[in-house]
Amino acid sequence: MNSVRVRSLNRDAVLATLRELFAQLGQERPEVLEVRLYGSLARGTRNPHADADVLVVLDSSDVPFRDRLPRYKPLGSPVPMDLLACTRAELERELAVGNRFVRRMLDGSVVLYPCAAADTGGAANSPAATAQAPVLCENNREPPPR
């Protein structure tokens, strides 16, 4: 007889842990402007095997794109994690050429760690603020036009 194993995912607990991990990363690495969660976990799609699809937005980097993962992927994630680390300029370039994947990724994302310019003393971590926080913020700079 085959047995069925049921796995449950507490999305709120996972998000809280991810926010803590990336807040620590942001304190350790000042080039981190913001961190966003995208994909099924961000959308709240029911999936007990969901992973965390994460975008780390950097002010700048002297490390090639393909070599950034170990520097910005924190240990201790409660779920498997796929991480992209892009500079603000790289992300803006992709948006400017109409990269639909990047646009969808940003449109459906949840802020896990806001940049200092978007931090309003705790209010930035409220559900309403995380969905509306500016992307690629620099001194409250607006996101690129759609």
Side-chain angles (χ1 to χ4, degrees):
M1 175 178 203
N2 291 334
S3 65
V4 175
R5 191 168 185 188
V6 177
R7 181 174 171 230
S8 156
L9 181 90
N10 182 332
R11 182 176 180 265
D12 291 337
V14 169
L15 291 179
T17 300
L18 291 173
R19 283 189 174 105
E20 289 172 18
L21 290 172
F22 285 109
Q24 182 177 347
L25 179 73
Q27 290 174 355
E28 295 169 1
R29 301 225 172 250
E31 69 272 24
V32 174
L33 294 178
E34 73 179 16
V35 178
R36 288 183 169 259
L37 177 72
Y38 64 96
S40 63
L41 190 56
R43 290 188 305 270
T45 305
R46 289 184 166 260
N47 179 357
H49 302 288
D51 64 347
D53 298 308
V54 176
L55 170 67
V56 177
V57 181
L58 308 171
D59 182 43
S60 63
S61 179
D62 57 354
V63 177
F65 178 80
R66 68 184 176 281
D67 298 332
R68 294 179 192 155
L69 180 66
R71 185 176 281 193
Y72 299 105
K73 188 173 184 178
L75 298 175
S77 176
V79 295
M81 182 183 301
D82 289 328
L83 185 135
L84 295 173
C86 300
T87 66
R88 178 179 43 224
E90 291 165 344
L91 213 48
E92 287 175 339
R93 187 171 49 245
E94 290 304 313
L95 290 169
V97 298
N99 186 317
R100 290 182 184 165
F101 171 75
V102 171
R103 178 78 283 159
R104 280 192 318 269
M105 177 177 59
L106 293 174
D107 286 346
S109 66
V110 173
V111 175
L112 296 174
Y113 174 77
C115 68
D119 190 355
T120 56
N125 284 325
S126 71
T130 56
Q132 302 301 322
V135 177
L136 311 173
C137 55
E138 177 180 3
N139 299 326
N140 291 324
R141 183 175 128 185
E142 292 298 314
R146 295 181 189 209

